[in-house]
Amino acid sequence: MKTGWYGELNGDEKKTWWACLGGYTLDSMDSTIYSLVMPILLSLAILTKSEAGILGSASLIGSALGGWSAGMLADRLGRIRVMQLTVLWVACFTALTAVCGEFWQFLIVRFLQGLGYGGEVVVGGVLISEVIRASYRGRVGASIQSGYALGYAISLAVLPVLLNFFPAANRLEAFFPHRHYSGYSGVVHPSFSS
């Protein structure tokens, strides 16, 4: 079965395409889920509206610094290694949001996520230009950008399904599972303890 231009990419080009697409998809899923979960956090008085805005800014500031620093790091360690590190970085700090219960914890984690996002976008763009043949570079670059739409679609499809499995009182636990462990959750956020 012929798959168009994708079928004509060599192994390294396909790996690069998948790595960049996966990273961009992860970024957009996090951004969308963060926006969709924010009303829950606000309704439970875990965050105020101004704190929610500050968290968005922290992620953007982190992205700017992450793009700049990852570009320099990629020159020393290599694009592929830094791309792998940025995807892992984003995944780890996204997972850490599950144990955040206070504004300052969210602030630190969102800033650190932003570092990874910025690095991933910068290094991914340069990696595409270095690995993909010129005749396919435009198509690959454009298709990678569709990862943002794919991530939005996945999070918009999954979030309502997950929320329907949980009663309104327990919805936050779907996203912040540490609340199930009262001893630990009391350390993270005293109001989470039973």
Side-chain angles (χ1 to χ4, degrees):
M1 179 174 154
K2 191 79 169 153
T3 56
W5 60 266
Y6 177 80
E8 296 181 20
L9 297 177
N10 65 37
D12 287 340
E13 291 172 326
K14 285 180 182 178
K15 287 178 190 175
T16 301
W17 185 82
W18 281 107
C20 293
L21 180 70
Y24 284 31
T25 301
L26 175 67
D27 291 354
S28 67
M29 284 177 60
D30 175 72
S31 297
T32 305
I33 287 178
Y34 174 74
S35 299
L36 295 172
V37 171
M38 190 51 61
I40 297 170
L41 297 174
L42 292 171
S43 70
L44 294 173
I46 291 173
L47 296 173
T48 65
K49 288 181 181 178
S50 61
E51 289 172 338
I54 291 169
L55 292 178
S57 297
S59 183
L60 292 173
I61 292 167
S63 291
L65 294 173
W68 176 68
S69 57
M72 291 190 308
L73 195 58
D75 288 339
R76 293 175 190 223
L77 300 178
R79 314 276 184 253
I80 294 170
R81 185 175 310 268
V82 174
M83 182 67 175
Q84 291 168 335
L85 290 172
T86 59
V87 171
L88 180 62
W89 182 275
V90 171
C92 288
F93 283 102
T94 298
L96 276 177
T97 60
V99 297
C100 294
E102 296 181 14
F103 168 71
W104 66 268
Q105 294 169 336
F106 279 110
L107 180 68
I108 292 167
V109 170
R110 291 297 293 176
F111 174 79
L112 292 171
Q113 278 180 308
L115 288 174
Y117 294 149
E120 188 178 307
V121 170
V122 168
V123 175
V126 174
L127 187 61
I128 288 170
S129 69
E130 290 180 352
V131 174
I132 307 297
R133 288 173 277 168
S135 58
Y136 295 111
R137 199 172 294 145
R139 292 175 218 167
V140 168
S143 67
I144 295 301
Q145 295 302 317
S146 70
Y148 283 106
L150 182 61
Y152 292 145
I154 292 169
S155 60
L156 288 171
V158 169
L159 185 69
V161 172
L162 285 176
L163 290 178
N164 282 326
F165 283 110
F166 297 96
N170 297 18
R171 286 182 180 161
L172 186 64
E173 293 172 355
F175 301 99
F176 300 94
H178 71 284
R179 292 183 66 187
H180 293 289
Y181 309 104
S182 60
Y184 177 69
S185 63
V187 173
V188 176
H189 193 286
S191 67
F192 285 174
S193 296
S194 302

